[in-house]
């Protein structure tokens, strides 16, 4: 009886379990078919839901995991998809599609070596499988791009690294490591918006990604937003205390900020020598920080201009615009130095660059002034011919004319060679021209303002220097070159003071 009772109990427990298993399988298949229908319609979220229901009903069916892995891949959820693909081949190692999906997930996530192993296993099961053959080639191509990129990064050939990462990302679109390397190289190339975009996309998916935080900080650092950059570097180091690049960048950023601020303080206090030293020290901290270094060069150029080292100031400003050819302040500073050193063509060129970029009234006037000075510089410098300052008085101009006219008068050089006579005659004429213009207030004003003197009917080509000379010395009998003397009637009341010509 007891034995019979025991058997009845066993039979009673077995039949419902078998019935339940069969019913579960039928229901799971129904869920799978519905999932397939949604997958065909590209409604991957619903497909995912039905494949999940199928797995819940039959958790040991490899194909269900394989189908859900394919759906997750279409949704771009490769890490989850990898888990399902790996589970599918654990349940059935002969499941070719499972191995293919596992390899594809590894490759998409940037693990090309693991991908190769999965594709090799698929080829062992089906050596003619065209998809496995192609994916195996793709994985090997990614491995090769990684090797080339690593070498080129050491060589600082950042453009080539970006190229390699772009090619690798065609096969590994979900690889954060490749994206970070590309973003870092874009930052090193000065393509900050692109680099920031890549880093920000990763941070939206993973706000604790130390590499993305570092690249975001690097972009700010290179854009001279040093204080904000330090915040990102510090955050990256919180996530990964051993992040070497973030540590170095954070140290450089803090040192650069401190030196620059100390230099600015010294400049404001009028301690130009100290400011120069501090800016020079700051320039030695990080040669890769182009934008900040451009500002440091311009600042040091300003210091040099204050110290009246104008050639050094021009050199510093030139270095600034080499680093940043959009740096208006450096162009303006260099242009002013060119003006101060009478290099007007160079000044005009810089002011034209500025005005093309920023068409303000102020910049237009600066350009106009430089063009005027350039025009004036191309004329004869009558002040230089007479040897007087531009602010010379009327008496100083007269005395200068007297001295130069007597010095270059043709009669004085009648015994010289023909070549010397010709040169002295030319100088005598120029002295007369200069005196005619600078002794007449109206003409002098026009000359100083850069206006054309010919507009007033003065044809300097027909100018007679002798007439000016005679008029100045009071006509016939007013002067004589005999015996090496000239009588200068305006020097004394009795008009009899003598001046030695050869003094």
């Amino acid at each position: 009886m007891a034995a019979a009772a025991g058997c009845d109990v066993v039979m009673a427990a077995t039949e419902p379990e078998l019935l339940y298993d069969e019913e579960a399988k039928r229901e799971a298949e129904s869920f799978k078919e519905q999932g397939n229908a949604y997958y065909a319609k590209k409604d991957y979220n619903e497909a995912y839901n039905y494949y999940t229901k199928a797995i819940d009903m039959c958790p040991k069916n490899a194909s269900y995991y394989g189908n859900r892995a394919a759906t997750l891949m279409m949704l771009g959820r490769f890490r989850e998809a990898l888990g399902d693909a790996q589970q599918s081949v654990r349940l059935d190692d002969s499941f070719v599609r499972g191995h293919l999906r596992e390899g594809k997930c590894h490759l998409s996530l940037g693990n090309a070596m693991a991908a190769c192993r999965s594709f090799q296993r698929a080829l062992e099961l089906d050596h003619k499988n065209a998809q496995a053959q192609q994916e195996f080639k793709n994985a090997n191509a990614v491995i090769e791009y990684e090797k080339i990129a690593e070498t080129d990064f050491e060589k600082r050939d950042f453009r080539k690294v970006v190229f390699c990462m772009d090619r690798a990302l065609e096969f590994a679109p979900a690889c954060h490591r490749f994206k970070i390397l590309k973003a870092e190289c874009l930052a090193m190339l000065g393509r900050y918006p692109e680099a920031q975009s890549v880093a920000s996309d990763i941070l939206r998916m993973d706000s604790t990604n130390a590499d993305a935080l570092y690249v975001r900080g690097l972009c700010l650092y290179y854009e001279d937003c040093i204080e904000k950059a330090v915040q990102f570097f510090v955050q990256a180091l919180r996530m990964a205390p051993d992040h070497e690049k973030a540590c170095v960048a954070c140290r450089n950023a803090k040192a650069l900020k401190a030196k620059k601020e100390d230099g600015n303080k010294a400049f404001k206090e009028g301690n130009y020598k100290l400011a120069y030293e501090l800016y020079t020290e700051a320039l030695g901290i990080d040669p890769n920080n182009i934008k900040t270094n451009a500002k440091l060069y311009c600042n040091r150029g300003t210091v040099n201009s204050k110290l009246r080292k104008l050639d050094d100031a021009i050199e510093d400003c030139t270095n600034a615009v080499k680093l940043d050819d959009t740096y208006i302040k450096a162009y303006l500073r260099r242009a002013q130095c060119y003006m101060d050193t009478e290099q007007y063509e160079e000044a005009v060129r810089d002011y034209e660059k500025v005005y093309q970029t920023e068409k303000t009234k102020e910049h237009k006037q600066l350009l106009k002034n430089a063009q005027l000075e350039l025009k004036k510089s191309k004329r004869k410098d009558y002040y230089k011919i007479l040897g007087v300052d531009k602010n010379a008085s009327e008496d100083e101009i007269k005395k200068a004319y007297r001295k130069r006219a007597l010095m270059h008068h043709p009669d004085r050089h009648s015994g010289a060679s023909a070549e010397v006579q010709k040169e002295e005659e030319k100088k005598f004429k120029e002295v007369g021209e200069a005196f005619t213009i600078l002794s007449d207030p109206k003409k002098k004003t026009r000359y100083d303002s850069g206006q054309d003197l010919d507009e007033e009917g003065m044809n300097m080509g027909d100018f007679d220097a002798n007439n000016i000379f005679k008029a100045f010395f009071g006509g016939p009998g007013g002067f004589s070159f005999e015996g090496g003397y000239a009588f200068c009637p305006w020097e004394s009341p009795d008009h009899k003071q003598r001046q030695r010509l050869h003094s």
Side-chain angles (χ1 to χ4, degrees), residues 296-311:
L296 288 169
Y297 271 121
C298 187
N299 287 359
R300 196 173 73 173
T302 303
V303 171
N304 276 323
S305 70
K306 292 290 185 181
L307 295 170
R308 303 311 296 167
K309 296 180 179 179
L310 297 179
D311 289 339

Side-chain angles (χ1 to χ4, degrees), residues 1 13 15 27 51-52 55 111 133 162 264 316 333 378:
M1 283 295 291
E15 287 180 11
E27 193 167 356
Y51 289 140
T52 300
I55 289 170
N111 192 344
Q133 291 172 351
V162 170
N264 292 345
D316 276 341
R333 172 60 57 195
K378 291 182 180 297

Side-chain angles (χ1 to χ4, degrees), residues 218-231:
L218 196 66
C219 292
L220 290 165
Y221 172 62
Y222 284 149
E223 287 185 294
D224 198 41
C225 299
I226 295 179
E227 196 167 339
K228 287 184 179 179
V230 168
Q231 293 173 8

Side-chain angles (χ1 to χ4, degrees), residues 71-84:
T71 303
L72 286 166
M73 289 168 69
M74 297 305 292
L75 290 168
R77 294 157 62 179
F78 291 101
R79 280 196 192 284
E80 296 171 71
L82 177 61
D84 276 353

Side-chain angles (χ1 to χ4, degrees), residues 31 61 85 155 180 182 190 281 302 317 339 397 454 498:
F31 287 141
N61 188 308
K155 294 178 182 177
I180 288 294
K182 174 185 174 180
E281 289 173 14
T302 303
C317 292
M339 292 290 285
I397 290 171
D454 288 342
R498 293 188 173 197

